[in-house]
Structure formats: structure tokens, C-alpha cells
Amino acid sequence: MSDIWVLLRGLTREQGHWGDFIPTLAQALSASSTLLSPDLPGNGTLHAQPSPTEVPAMVDALRAGLAQEGHAPPYRLLAMSLGAMVAIEWARRHPEEIRSCVLINTSVRPFSRFWQRLRPRNYLTILRLALIRPDTLALERAVMRMTTRHPPAPEATLARWTALRERHPVSLANAWRQLRAAIGYRAPRFAPPVPLLVLYSAADGLVNPRCSEALIQHWGVPWQRHPSAGHDLPLDDAGWVTRQVQEWLARQKPDTPP
């Protein structure tokens, strides 16, 4: 049976922001695996569309898009931040469509408070970016400072991010709509009935690591913590994320679908 992996990014980010992580993961998975990285409405190739203001509507949009492209479930989800909230809701509403979920540096109500879900040290920076709207390079440099700790080839990464933003500009309205969806999302008290792995960064400067730890504690799911990466864990250490996914898949029970 072929594995279809669906990779989901976070707030205002798109498939191009996965960078080298997708080929790194693809090389480690079986030859029968297919990796897809659809954009959320309002981001990337869909930047002209209005972003939903609720996470369930994002799930509906993704399911419809995949069906239109001929990709039938079940899927394996690997998602970070806002994308991980979408993955949680997808697995809650349609567990028969999901073979497994890897959740990276996410934060959800009711397990974490607002000031944990977005560290207060970032409030002024985000407000300034929203009001001043600096040039694209300065904007992406500020995002990099908030979301990474040791990105590979930072100047080349900044150049790529700048080109992505200029090609697929995310409107301020869509950014606020996505933020509204993230703030308003409430995860289920109990874990969705699918295999779950939580990966998180001890040095996350955007989201307090305690958010992932609270999710782990309440749901009792497997986890791994990176000691030094930032919020964009797949960028800071693509190899580490890939190894954790490989080892977790190998540890799953024999009666779990491969």
C-alpha cells in the first residue's frame, strides 16, 4: 500500500518554506511514499483566496483540494504550528482518513494560555511589522529571528523566503484571519484515535515549549524534544526530524497500518 504524506506549514507560510526538508524526508521513506505539501487557503499558490477564520474550514478546504487532485485517503500527516492544529482537527473529525500524525511545535487551547502560545517577547515585533510593513527582506529577516536558532545557509534561506513572499504575497487581512483561526481553535480533551507523535524544540522563541509538553501530558502520546532548535524545527534540523519519524514508524505496533 502506497503511503501518502501530507505536509502542512504554519501561519502565512507555504509549501516553499519546507526548503530541503521535503527531499530529506523523501529520501528516508520507502520508495512507495508520495509527499504532498498543499497550501492552506490564503498562502502560497492560494494567496489570492480568503483564509478561513476557523480551523475546521481549513480541513474542509484541504480535503476538497486533495480529492480534486485525485489523492484519496488514507494519509499520513506531518504538520507544524497552525498546520498541526489543522492536522489535529482532521484526525478528530475523520480518523478513518488518517494513518498517523506528526505534530511539530504546536499550541492549542484548552491546554495552554495565550501568552504561552505566542511568547510576549514577540508582541511588539509583530505589531511593528503589521503597522510599518517594512520591505520584504527586512520582514523575512524579522521572521527568521523569531522562528529559527541555527538555520543552514541563513542568507540563502532569506533570499528564498523573500522570493516566495514576492511571488505569493500574503495579505495582511489573510494573516489576521489565520491568526484568528489559530487563537480560536480548541483541541479535543482526548487525543484523536490515530497514531500520534509530538516533536518540539526546547529553544522555541515563538511558542513556549510548555505548550507541546502540556499536549503530551494530557494526551499521553510519544514525543521527542530537540535541545537547541527554534520554532521552525524542520529548517533548523531536517535530519533530526526525519530520524525521529523513521524511528517512531519502526516502533509502531505490528497491528498498526504500515
Side-chain angles (χ1 to χ4, degrees):
M1 184 179 188
S2 176
D3 261 348
I4 300 178
W5 287 79
V6 178
L7 280 62
L8 303 175
R9 289 288 308 194
L11 191 80
T12 76
R13 308 311 263 177
E14 61 161 281
Q15 54 187 266
H17 288 103
W18 287 112
D20 293 334
F21 175 69
I22 289 182
T24 300
L25 180 63
Q27 188 174 12
L29 297 175
S30 67
S32 62
S33 297
T34 299
L35 273 65
L36 307 174
S37 53
D39 290 319
L40 294 174
N43 297 341
T45 57
L46 306 180
H47 69 278
Q49 296 184 13
S51 296
T53 56
E54 295 182 346
V55 168
M58 295 179 178
V59 174
D60 293 339
L62 285 168
R63 294 176 69 238
L66 290 169
Q68 187 175 12
E69 293 174 4
H71 301 295
Y75 311 113
R76 293 191 186 276
L77 306 182
L78 185 147
M80 60 175 292
S81 200
L82 172 59
M85 299 178 210
V86 175
I88 291 169
E89 184 63 12
W90 195 344
R92 184 189 73 81
R93 295 173 63 194
H94 306 285
E96 73 284 355
E97 296 183 358
I98 308 302
R99 300 182 73 186
S100 65
C101 282
V102 180
L103 310 175
I104 302 174
N105 283 334
T106 195
S107 61
V108 292
R109 299 165 59 208
F111 308 129
S112 300
R113 303 297 185 184
F114 177 80
W115 60 86
Q116 295 174 316
R117 301 181 64 196
L118 180 61
R119 285 180 179 268
R121 70 180 73 162
N122 299 294
Y123 294 173
L124 185 59
T125 298
I126 293 171
L127 181 61
R128 185 183 299 116
L129 293 175
L131 294 177
I132 299 175
R133 301 294 286 174
D135 66 78
T136 307
L137 178 59
L139 178 58
E140 291 298 341
R141 195 177 297 278
V143 171
M144 178 171 281
R145 284 196 296 268
M146 288 189 290
T147 61
T148 71
R149 283 294 174 266
H150 37 74
E155 292 305 316
T157 298
L158 276 174
R160 186 173 68 250
W161 286 5
T162 300
L164 287 171
R165 184 175 290 275
E166 291 176 346
R167 184 162 64 247
H168 300 144
V170 178
S171 69
L172 183 59
N174 272 340
W176 285 116
R177 290 169 71 88
Q178 292 173 43
L179 183 60
R180 177 179 168 184
I183 291 172
Y185 179 64
R186 189 177 183 89
R189 284 282 181 182
F190 301 99
V194 302
L196 289 165
L197 171 67
V198 174
L199 303 178
Y200 72 106
S201 307
D204 190 335
L206 189 68
V207 174
N208 195 313
R210 291 182 180 178
C211 294
S212 288
E213 292 167 355
L215 190 66
I216 292 162
Q217 179 182 4
H218 281 87
W219 283 1
V221 295
W223 59 274
Q224 293 292 333
R225 179 179 62 193
H226 193 289
S228 62
H231 187 69
D232 198 340
L233 177 52
L235 173 68
D236 276 354
D237 201 336
W240 184 89
V241 175
T242 297
R243 288 192 298 276
Q244 304 313 315
V245 171
Q246 281 183 297
E247 293 172 6
W248 174 64
L249 290 174
R251 290 194 300 268
Q252 288 185 21
K253 297 177 181 179
D255 59 347
T256 301

